[in-house]
Amino acid sequence: MVVYPPVLIKTRLQLQKNRSLYRGTFDAFRKIYRYEGIRGFYKGFITNSFTIVSGQIYATSYEIIRSMTADYGNFTRGLIAGGCASFAAQTITVPVDIISQKQMIQGQDASLQETLDMSGNAAKNKFKGPVQIIRIIWRESGVKGFYRGYLASLLTYAPSSSIWWASYGAYTGILTEMTPSDMPKIAIQALSGPLAGITAAVFTNPLDIVRTRLQIEGGTSILLAARVLYAEEGVRAVFKGLSARILSTVPTSLIIIVGYETVKRLSLKESDSVS
C-alpha cells in the first residue's frame, strides 16, 4: 500500500509518448490527485496484490539456490540465487502485471481532459475490472496474451534481482567495515537494502520501460521496441520513470530486507543461532 502509487506513476510515465500527459513524477502525483483523487493512485491494487504468491516462490527459490552455492562468496551467491529466484517467480508475476498495468492506465486521458456530460458535470469513465480485462485478453490472444513481454520481463527482473542481491551483499560488507563494531547488524542491513534497490533500478530501468511497453502495447521484438523508444525520446528515454521507480524501490527494499532478515533470524533453531 505504501509503495503502490509510485509504481502506478512509473508505469504511466513509461508508457506516455514524450511528455504528452505528465512532465515528470511530481507532476503526475499532482495531476492524478487533482483529476482522479486518492483512488486514482490505487487502480489495479487488488489485482497486483496477487504477486504475494510469486513473492513466496521467489523467497523460497532464493534460499534453496543460496544454500546450494554455499561454497561461493556472498556476491556470487546473491548473483546466482537472485537471478534464479526471479526466473521462477515470473511465471506468476507476468500475467498479474499485464492485468494490473491495464487497470493502472485506465481513464488518465479522459480525466485530464475534464470531459463533461450533457449536464455540464464531469463525465464518469467506465472502467474495466480485472475479470473484464481477462476475458478481453483471452478472447483476443488466448493463453499467450497473458505472457506478452515474458522474455522482456525475464531480461528485466532476473538481472535486477541478481544486481540487487549482489549489491546488497557488497554494501553490507562495505558498511560493516566503515561503521563502529557495536553498530546493530539490522541497521547496516536497513541501509544496504535501499542502496541495492537504487543500484538495481538505475541499471535495469531501460529494460523495464521496454517490458512495460511490450506488455501493454503489444509486439514481440525487444530490439524494435527499444529502437522506437530511442527514436521518440533519444538518450533521455533511459531515465523515463526512473525517479518514480526509485521512490517505490527504496521503501520496498527497506521494508522487505528488515522483515526478511528479522523473520529469518527469529526462525533459526537455537543450535544454529549458537553456531
Side-chain angles (χ1 to χ4, degrees), residues 8 10 18 22 30 34 49 74-75 81 91 108 150 155 178 180 182 187 190 196 221 225 233 244 262 268:
L8 180 142
K10 178 210 69 159
N18 293 305
Y22 312 111
R30 182 177 61 83
R34 177 180 177 184
S49 296
N74 280 336
F75 182 87
T91 302
Q108 57 178 341
Y150 182 70
L155 292 176
M178 292 176 58
D182 59 347
S221 174
E233 303 188 47
T262 300
L268 289 173

Side-chain angles (χ1 to χ4, degrees), residues 4 12 36 39 41-45 103-104 106 127:
Y4 191 77
R12 290 191 175 189
E36 302 174 60
R39 294 179 64 183
F41 292 110
Y42 287 93
K43 289 179 177 177
F45 174 71
Q103 291 180 271
M104 288 179 189
Q106 287 189 104
F127 299 109

Side-chain angles (χ1 to χ4, degrees), residues 234-249:
V235 177
R236 70 177 184 179
V238 172
F239 304 101
K240 200 175 184 71
L242 179 58
S243 58
R245 194 175 181 206
I246 290 174
L247 280 176
S248 67
T249 198

Side-chain angles (χ1 to χ4, degrees), residues 231-275:
E232 288 176 0
E233 303 188 47
V235 177
R236 70 177 184 179
V238 172
F239 304 101
K240 200 175 184 71
L242 179 58
S243 58
R245 194 175 181 206
I246 290 174
L247 280 176
S248 67
T249 198
V250 167
T252 298
S253 298
L254 176 62
I255 293 168
I256 287 178
I257 206 60
V258 171
Y260 168 78
E261 294 288 5
T262 300
V263 171
K264 186 176 177 181
R265 186 172 62 254
L266 294 174
S267 299
L268 289 173
K269 296 178 181 178
E270 186 176 348
S271 58
D272 294 333
S273 299
V274 173
S275 62

